[in-house]
């Protein structure tokens, strides 16, 4: 059997780990069902701000000046107590925290792939990897705040 080279190993592991992130984001998108779950705009904002922050944190490991320490934050917990004390909101918060925590763990594993002595990757592969991550976040967030009208972007 042929030995896997550093580039192929990077691709295999990155694809597996990012696929887990995308799968968990799909599960988070299921929480947008207002018949089963109750959430506030501030909860959704916090959830996706943390998703963005984690992506930016992990992306730094693949930059010219990576952080010295490996990421340690593996759990997502809402910063404030829930405003809506009902079963639908409790379920939303519990499942969101569980699923986002799994995303954090998988993203930390992706950071491990930045070690050049063990893995080989191109700048284009890193761009593609994180583009998929951030685009998935935007797509899932739109499930919680669907557009009902067209507006020009303000530039």
């Amino acid at each position: 059997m042929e030995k896997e080279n550093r580039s192929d190993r990077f691709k295999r592991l990155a694809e597996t780990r990012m696929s887990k992130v995308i799968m968990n984001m799909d599960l988070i998108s299921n929480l947008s069902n207002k018949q089963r779950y109750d959430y506030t705009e501030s909860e959704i904002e916090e959830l996706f701000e943390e998703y963005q922050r984690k992506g930016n944190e992990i992306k730094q490991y693949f930059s010219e000046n990576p952080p010295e320490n490996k990421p340690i934050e593996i759990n997502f917990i809402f910063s404030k107590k829930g405003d809506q004390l009902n079963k639908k909101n409790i379920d939303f918060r519990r499942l969101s925290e569980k699923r986002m925590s799994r995303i954090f763990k998988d993203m930390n594993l992706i950071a491990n792939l930045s070690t050049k002595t063990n893995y080989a990757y191109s700048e284009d592969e890193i761009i593609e990897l994180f583009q998929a991550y951030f685009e998935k976040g935007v797509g899932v967030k739109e499930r919680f705040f669907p557009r009902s009208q067209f507006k020009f972007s303000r530039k």
Side-chain angles (χ1 to χ4, degrees):
M1 184 170 201
E2 193 176 315
K3 185 176 178 183
E4 187 176 45
N5 66 36
R6 294 180 315 132
S7 177
D8 289 341
R9 186 173 350 143
F10 170 81
K11 287 177 188 170
R12 178 179 55 81
L13 292 172
E15 286 173 352
T16 299
R17 292 169 185 176
M18 188 56 72
S19 293
K20 287 180 181 181
V21 168
I22 289 171
M23 180 194 70
N24 278 298
M25 285 302 287
D26 286 340
L27 292 174
I28 287 175
S29 78
N30 293 341
L31 301 176
S32 67
N33 181 344
K34 279 293 212 177
Q35 293 177 348
R36 297 196 65 193
Y37 304 103
D38 196 9
Y39 48 84
T40 65
E41 187 173 326
S42 65
E43 287 170 329
I44 300 305
E45 290 299 330
E46 181 178 1
L47 188 68
F48 286 95
E49 283 172 12
E50 288 300 306
Y51 179 84
Q52 280 285 126
R53 187 197 58 72
K54 188 62 168 180
N56 287 327
E57 173 193 12
I58 301 307
K59 191 175 182 183
Q60 283 294 108
Y61 287 89
F62 295 91
S63 69
E64 290 182 21
N65 300 313
E68 291 182 23
N69 299 322
K70 289 291 180 192
I72 55 172
E73 188 176 343
I74 59 171
N75 291 315
F76 169 77
I77 298 172
F78 284 102
S79 62
K80 293 182 223 163
K81 207 77 166 138
D83 296 336
Q84 303 174 354
L85 297 175
N86 61 54
K87 183 177 178 353
K88 288 168 128 183
N89 183 251
I90 291 167
D91 288 347
F92 169 80
R93 291 173 69 89
R94 178 181 53 80
L95 290 170
S96 294
E97 289 174 346
K98 181 179 176 182
R99 292 169 183 176
M100 192 60 72
S101 292
R102 285 195 304 239
I103 289 169
F104 280 16
K105 288 174 188 170
D106 288 328
M107 289 304 291
N108 287 352
L109 291 173
I110 287 174
N112 292 343
L113 300 177
S114 68
T115 308
K116 286 275 194 178
T117 55
N118 297 328
Y119 306 100
Y121 50 85
S122 70
E123 181 66 27
D124 287 342
E125 289 168 332
I126 300 308
I127 290 169
E128 187 175 354
L129 185 70
F130 285 95
Q131 184 175 349
Y133 178 85
F134 292 118
E135 285 177 1
K136 186 65 177 181
V138 169
V140 171
K141 186 176 181 181
E142 286 177 353
R143 296 277 312 264
F144 289 90
F145 302 120
R147 293 184 182 180
S148 58
Q149 60 181 326
F150 170 80
K151 291 194 181 215
F152 284 102
S153 60
R154 293 174 173 81
K155 291 185 180 185

